């Protein structure tokens, strides 16, 4: 069981000014994105954006076919797919890579946030339906970013020489990785249940996309999650014209750079668009397309096309093309009735760069909603914080600063800075006297002054070392607490895998996440889940 406590995001010091400005709707951000975050403005958005460009029948057919690739698509998810045929149904989407065993905790939090936002919208707009969508980044080719999970301080790695879109990777060889994970999690009922789930997901499916689909269905299927794989021939048929405009007219780079130039007045760019924002994809291959002379060349290969040949590919086999980070959001919005995207600080920051891009393509930019931010505090960590007389806000401070502040509270009678100031005053008087007698001795006196001050500084360092040794146990506990909550100096949610908590709490951990991470549309806090 867990108890929830919320603290303002601003009190954590973890977020960029662009992100904080966005969620507070500052004047600096409004020119780039005009949707406020409230139920009233969701209503305005729906009234203004009719999604007339959608082909709902193709979307529903594709999602139905995809849902049949695994055996555990829930009835709730199937019902939500069917709902998408109705013009009064809208989607709320989050996207993420196909991380091994779901990767860091925020994978879980993003999907939970998306589901809970749909629930909140349904309460506010009972005459409409809202479907949570998890967009699988199956076409991503950065395998090193997804091939590992951190569990109890140990890194479990899936080594593979496969190349290309990771969703098409064979799951062969993962038996050994799961066996390694099992030794880390131990032999408890919850751990064995989770290992069995991983085995069903990764060993009973031939590719990573299907394995991830099965796993997410098991964790969130009862809440109606709809899983969409953009690596789909029918869906890419709907995006042919956008591919053409990006490749042959360089529309994307022109439009995104307009927004970036304006944003640069206050913020640094998050994403740099290219002249062509499309990859060429085959089995084992996903490489950028670049125009060289009159040809369109697939980098790092001998493959090249004339303009006519590439246009034929777009018309007949668009599934061979893959959007990059600039075009993927546009692709998402072209095929989904998507009114909101749920993402982290980095995602929201780069989505803001796409305002003019979406305007140019006459596709609706979604309302950008921050995901929930969460820190799990087990009993041991809570006891350390209490014993050290620290506040919750203290845990977000820099470790060195926290140790210095702690030592100061234990020994607040040490003040060598004042002694240095007094020493400087004394030497100032001495230098004045010396100068009146013999100005050639001033330099020597100045040197003696600096030597004395340096001596105090050295003494100060020795005193601090002595104090640290005297408080060594407490200081070690501070660093242990920081490492627990910020492993490798990274927020827990961006590092630890959910299996650490599932092995202790079972599926109740997921249920707790769903219950505790409520979405109020306008309040964005950092959520602390305190183990009871």
């Amino acid at each position: 069981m867990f108890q929830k406590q919320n603290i303002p995001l601003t009190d954590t010091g973890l977020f960029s000014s662009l992100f904080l400005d966005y969620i507070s709707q500052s004047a600096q951000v409004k020119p780039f994105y005009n949707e406020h975050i409230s139920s009233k403005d969701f209503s305005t958005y729906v009234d203004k954006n009719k999604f007339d460009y959608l082909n709902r029948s193709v979307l529903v057919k594709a999602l139905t076919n995809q849902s049949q690739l695994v055996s555990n698509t829930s009835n709730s998810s199937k019902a939500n797919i069917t709902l998408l045929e109705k013009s009064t149904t809208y989607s709320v989407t989050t996207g993420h890579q196909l991380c091994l065993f779901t990767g860091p905790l925020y994978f879980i939090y993003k999907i939970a946030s998306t589901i809970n936002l749909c629930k909140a919208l349904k309460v506010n707009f009972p005459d409409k339906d809202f479907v949570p969508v998890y967009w699988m980044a199956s076409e991503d080719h950065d395998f090193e970013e997804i091939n590992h999970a951190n569990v109890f301080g140990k890194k479990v790695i899936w080594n593979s020489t496969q190349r290309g879109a990771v969703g098409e990777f064979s799951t062969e060889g993962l038996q050994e990785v799961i066996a390694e994970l099992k030794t880390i999690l131990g032999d408890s009922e919850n751990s064995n249940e989770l290992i069995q789930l991983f085995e069903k997901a990764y060993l009973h499916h031939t590719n990573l996309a299907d394995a991830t689909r099965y796993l997410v269905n098991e964790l969130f299927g009862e809440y109606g999650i709809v899983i969409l794989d953009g690596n789909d021939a029918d869906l890419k048929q709907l995006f042919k014209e956008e591919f053409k405009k990006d490749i042959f007219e360089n529309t994307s780079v022109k439009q995104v750079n307009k927004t970036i130039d304006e944003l640069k007045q206050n913020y640094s760019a998050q994403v740099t668009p290219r002249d062509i924002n499309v990859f060429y994809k085959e089995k084992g291959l996903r490489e950028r397309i670049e125009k060289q002379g009159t040809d369109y060349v697939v980098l790092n290969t001998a493959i090249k096309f004339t303009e006519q040949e590439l246009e034929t590919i777009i018309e007949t086999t668009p599934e061979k093309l893959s959007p990059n980070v600039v075009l993927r959001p546009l692709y998402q919005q072209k095929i989904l009735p998507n009114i909101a995207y749920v993402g982290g600080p980095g995602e929201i920051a780069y989505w803001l760069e796409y305002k003019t891009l979406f305007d140019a393509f006459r596709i609706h930019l979604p309302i950008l909603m921050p995901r929930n931010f969460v820190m799990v505090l087990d009993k041991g960590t809570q006891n350390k914080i209490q014993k050290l007389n620290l506040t919750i806000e203290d845990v977000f401070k820099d470790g060195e600063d926290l140790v210095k502040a702690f030592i100061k509270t234990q020994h607040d009678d040490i003040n060598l800075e004042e002694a240095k100031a007094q020493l400087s005053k004394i030497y100032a008087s001495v230098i004045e006297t010396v100068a009146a007698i013999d100005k050639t001795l001033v330099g020597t006196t100045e040197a003696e002054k600096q030597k004395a001050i340096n001596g105090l500084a050295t003494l100060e360092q020795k005193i601090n070392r002595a104090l640290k040794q005297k408080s060594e146990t407490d200081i070690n506990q501070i660093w242990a607490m920081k490492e627990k909550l910020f492993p490798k100096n990274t927020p827990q949610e961006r590092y630890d895998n959910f299996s650490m908590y599932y092995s202790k709490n079972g599926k109740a951990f997921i249920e707790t996440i769903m219950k505790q991470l409520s979405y109020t549309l306008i309040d964005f806090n950092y959520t602390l889940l305190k183990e009871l």
Side-chain angles (χ1 to χ4, degrees):
M1 296 291 291
F2 296 86
Q3 182 182 48
K4 180 172 74 171
Q5 177 184 342
N6 287 331
I7 62 174
L9 292 181
T10 50
D11 288 353
T12 67
L14 297 176
F15 302 102
S16 69
S17 60
L18 177 56
F19 179 68
L20 292 174
D21 279 347
Y22 171 73
I23 63 173
S24 65
Q25 293 298 300
S26 76
Q28 288 177 307
V29 173
K30 282 180 182 177
F32 305 102
Y33 194 78
N34 296 316
E35 300 299 341
H36 298 269
I37 305 170
S38 72
S39 58
K40 178 182 177 181
D41 292 293
F42 268 98
S43 180
T44 301
Y45 181 94
V46 170
D47 290 341
K48 185 175 70 175
N49 300 309
K50 300 301 182 182
F51 292 94
D52 296 332
Y53 49 78
L54 288 182
N55 190 323
R56 288 180 181 261
S57 60
V58 171
L59 171 65
V60 170
K61 180 182 176 183
L63 287 173
T64 300
N65 290 339
Q66 289 185 19
S67 71
Q68 294 170 353
L69 295 172
V70 293
S71 61
N72 66 338
T73 300
S74 70
N75 290 332
S76 296
S77 297
K78 292 175 182 177
N80 274 341
I81 291 173
T82 302
L83 275 177
L84 285 167
E85 287 197 276
K86 296 170 54 180
S87 61
T88 55
T89 298
Y90 302 91
S91 60
V92 174
T93 300
T94 193
H96 202 76
Q97 296 166 297
L98 308 188
C99 298
L100 182 66
F101 307 135
T102 74
L105 277 161
Y106 75 97
F107 179 105
I108 301 293
Y109 303 150
K110 287 175 78 171
I111 295 177
S113 301
T114 303
I115 294 169
N116 285 336
L117 176 54
C118 285
K119 291 179 181 178
L121 289 171
K122 182 63 177 176
V123 170
N124 282 273
F125 308 103
D127 60 325
K128 298 177 176 61
D129 292 299
F130 303 92
V131 172
V133 174
Y134 162 50
W135 182 293
M136 295 199 298
S138 62
E139 296 181 73
D140 188 82
H141 60 265
D142 294 323
F143 181 60
E144 290 74 16
E145 292 185 3
I146 66 145
N147 72 338
H148 60 276
N150 296 295
V151 184
F152 292 121
K154 297 182 179 179
K155 191 172 185 177
V156 182
I157 302 176
W158 174 24
N159 293 308
S160 176
T161 58
Q162 298 178 77
R163 298 177 63 83
V166 295
E168 298 173 354
F169 277 24
S170 167
T171 54
E172 187 177 352
L174 276 171
Q175 177 68 62
E176 292 80 5
V177 182
I178 294 174
E180 180 184 356
L181 178 63
K182 186 174 182 178
T183 63
I184 296 172
L185 293 179
D187 188 23
S188 68
E189 182 179 349
N190 290 329
S191 296
N192 291 334
E193 176 187 304
L194 185 59
I195 290 297
Q196 288 175 13
L197 170 56
F198 288 151
E199 288 176 342
K200 288 178 182 177
Y202 293 102
L203 305 185
H204 295 179
H205 297 90
T206 58
N207 62 60
L208 186 58
D210 289 348
T212 303
R213 184 188 298 276
Y214 183 92
L215 179 55
V216 173
N217 272 337
E218 282 295 301
L219 297 176
F220 295 104
E222 65 185 278
Y223 305 103
I225 191 70
V226 171
I227 303 170
L228 188 154
D229 187 349
N231 189 13
D232 184 287
D234 291 334
L235 294 179
K236 285 188 178 176
Q237 285 285 342
L238 303 176
F239 200 63
K240 292 189 299 186
E241 294 308 311
E242 289 71 24
F243 276 140
K244 289 178 185 177
K245 287 182 179 180
D246 181 86
I247 294 172
F248 301 127
E249 300 176 28
N250 305 137
T251 302
S252 303
V253 67
K254 295 173 185 175
Q255 297 301 325
V256 176
N257 278 338
K258 286 181 183 178
T259 309
I260 288 176
D261 288 341
E262 295 181 59
L263 275 170
K264 278 182 178 177
Q265 297 175 26
N266 298 294
Y267 310 105
S268 58
Q270 303 295 309
V271 173
T272 302
R274 300 181 181 277
D275 289 342
I276 297 175
N277 297 280
V278 181
F279 292 89
Y280 181 76
K281 187 181 72 65
E282 291 180 352
K283 182 66 175 176
L285 172 69
R286 185 177 184 250
E287 292 283 354
R288 282 200 304 114
I289 297 172
E290 188 176 275
K291 188 175 184 181
Q292 296 180 2
T294 58
D295 289 329
Y296 291 84
V297 174
V298 179
L299 298 183
N300 302 313
T301 74
I303 302 171
K304 64 180 180 179
F305 307 102
T306 64
E307 182 172 327
Q308 185 175 356
E309 288 171 337
L310 188 51
E311 189 163 2
T312 299
I313 289 174
I314 296 173
E315 284 294 334
T316 59
T317 54
E319 64 271 19
K320 290 186 176 182
L321 302 180
S322 176
N324 75 351
V325 68
V326 172
L327 275 194
R328 192 215 67 80
L330 198 72
Y331 178 34
Q332 168 192 299
Q333 293 300 116
K334 178 63 184 292
I335 65 177
L336 283 169
N338 200 60
I339 63 168
Y341 183 81
V342 176
E347 288 176 290
I348 286 179
Y350 74 67
W351 270 82
L352 289 173
E353 296 181 7
Y354 300 154
K355 178 69 166 64
T356 54
L357 171 67
F358 277 81
D359 290 344
F361 280 94
R362 297 183 180 180
I363 292 174
H364 306 326
L365 184 69
I367 297 173
L368 304 177
M369 300 296 288
R371 65 170 174 84
N372 288 112
F373 303 95
V374 185
M375 179 178 286
V376 182
L377 293 169
D378 59 25
K379 289 181 181 178
T381 303
Q382 291 179 69
N383 290 337
K384 282 190 177 76
I385 293 171
Q386 186 176 14
K387 181 182 176 183
L388 294 165
N389 292 317
L390 300 175
T391 66
I392 289 300
E393 289 74 19
D394 285 335
V395 306
F396 292 95
K397 295 177 180 176
D398 175 76
E400 289 289 351
D401 292 340
L402 198 55
V403 167
K404 288 178 183 177
F406 178 79
I407 292 173
K408 197 168 185 179
T409 61
Q410 303 298 305
H411 309 278
D412 56 3
D413 56 332
I414 302 299
N415 191 349
L416 294 189
E417 288 301 318
E418 184 178 341
K420 291 176 189 176
Q422 291 175 352
L423 189 62
S424 293
K425 286 182 180 179
I426 293 170
Y427 266 95
S429 176
V430 172
I431 290 171
E432 187 177 345
T433 301
V434 168
I437 298 170
D438 186 349
K439 289 184 179 181
T440 63
L441 296 175
V442 171
T444 302
T445 310
E446 288 277 9
E448 290 297 325
K449 168 190 168 184
Q450 192 58 50
K451 188 186 300 183
I453 291 175
N454 290 343
L456 278 179
T458 301
L459 181 60
E460 185 177 40
Q461 291 175 354
K462 290 180 178 179
I463 291 172
N464 284 332
R465 280 199 295 269
L467 291 176
K468 285 184 178 182
Q469 290 172 359
K470 193 173 182 180
S471 305
E472 186 175 0
T473 300
D474 289 336
I475 291 171
N476 286 341
Q477 287 191 347
I478 289 175
W479 285 115
M481 178 271 294
K482 287 291 292 183
E483 182 62 22
K484 180 79 172 180
L485 302 180
F486 295 89
K488 308 296 182 186
N489 208 28
T490 301
Q492 175 197 75
E493 63 173 13
R494 301 189 66 85
Y495 189 85
D496 289 340
N497 182 259
F498 86 102
S499 61
M500 296 167 53
Y501 304 96
Y502 196 106
S503 63
K504 187 173 184 179
N505 302 280
K507 199 161 187 181
F509 178 68
I510 301 296
E511 293 168 355
T512 295
I513 294 297
M514 294 305 304
K515 289 176 183 176
Q516 298 285 17
L517 300 191
S518 57
Y519 223 112
T520 62
L521 296 183
I522 57 173
D523 294 327
F524 301 109
N525 295 303
Y526 207 105
T527 299
L528 305 176
L529 293 181
K530 298 179 177 180
E531 185 181 34
L532 297 176

